[in-house]
């Protein structure tokens, strides 16, 4: 009888991706205020800076109207540059949804780097979209 075994590294990878995919973003992050979509909308209405940390391709398809794109794996480091943004500016950081960690990581880093008014939209872009709040879409239209 011939046994076909997957290499150990492949088994570990498959198991880890299944575990990671089921994790939710944390509800509490030190130095960060976790908010829901309705609270985010109120902050949007008063002019808080929204930062989208998703990959640029996703951002181009659609994003919260008026948000800035700072990819977590690249341009997000701009927040480290002194004077680029006042540390007291209210910023709302978001990713795709509760099941994606980019927003949580970005929020944590912003607080770690000294930003004092960091809000984490834990529910993410998809909840904003579901509530029919203003978005900019790929075709340039704002809804």
């Amino acid at each position: 009888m011939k046994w076909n075994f997957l290499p150990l590294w492949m088994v570990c990878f498959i198991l880890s991706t299944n575990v990671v995919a089921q994790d939710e973003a944390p509800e509490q992050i030190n130095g960060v205020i976790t908010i829901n979509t309705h609270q985010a909308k109120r902050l949007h209405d008063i002019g808080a800076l929204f930062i989208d940390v998703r990959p640029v391709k996703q951002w181009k398809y659609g994003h919260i109207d008026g948000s800035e794109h700072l990819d977590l794996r690249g341009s997000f480091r701009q927040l480290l540059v002194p004077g680029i943004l006042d540390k007291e500016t209210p910023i709302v950081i978001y990713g795709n949804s509760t099941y994606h960690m980019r927003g949580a990581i970005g929020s944590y880093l912003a607080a770690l780097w000294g930003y004092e008014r960091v809000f984490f939209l834990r529910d993410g872009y998809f909840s904003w979209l579901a509530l029919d709040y203003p978005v900019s879409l790929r075709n340039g239209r704002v809804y």
Side-chain angles (χ1 to χ4, degrees):
M1 181 180 339
K2 184 176 179 182
W3 293 91
N4 290 325
F5 289 103
L6 291 174
L8 181 59
W9 67 268
M10 192 177 291
V11 172
C12 291
F13 176 75
I14 292 169
L15 290 175
S16 68
T17 55
N18 287 337
V19 172
V20 171
Q22 294 173 0
D23 285 346
E24 289 187 29
E27 292 181 20
Q28 296 179 349
I29 301 169
N30 288 339
V32 175
I33 300 170
T34 302
I35 59 174
N36 64 35
T37 313
H38 301 293
Q39 293 167 318
K41 175 67 165 82
R42 283 186 288 236
L43 287 167
H44 187 268
D45 291 344
I46 63 171
L49 174 64
F50 276 64
I51 298 176
D52 187 323
V53 295
R54 299 174 304 150
V56 69
K57 188 173 184 179
Q58 292 178 10
W59 186 79
K60 285 181 178 179
Y61 276 111
H63 54 272
I64 294 174
D65 188 44
S67 67
E68 296 292 328
H69 179 255
L70 296 177
D71 189 338
L72 192 59
R73 295 186 182 192
S75 56
F76 192 78
R77 292 185 206 107
Q78 290 179 16
L79 293 180
L80 274 171
V81 176
I84 195 85
L85 185 64
D86 182 9
K87 299 282 185 174
E88 294 181 10
T89 300
I91 55 176
V92 178
I93 299 176
Y94 71 94
N96 275 328
S97 71
T98 305
Y99 293 100
H100 293 86
M101 295 297 290
R102 281 178 178 253
I105 294 168
S107 299
Y108 170 77
L109 289 174
L112 184 68
W113 295 342
Y115 288 90
E116 299 171 10
R117 298 171 71 190
V118 180
F119 299 91
F120 170 41
L121 175 52
R122 185 171 181 263
D123 298 332
Y125 172 69
F126 294 134
S127 68
W128 183 277
L129 193 61
L131 291 172
D132 205 25
Y133 288 154
V135 294
S136 295
L137 299 178
R138 182 172 135 178
N139 60 9
R141 298 176 84 178
V142 177
Y143 292 95

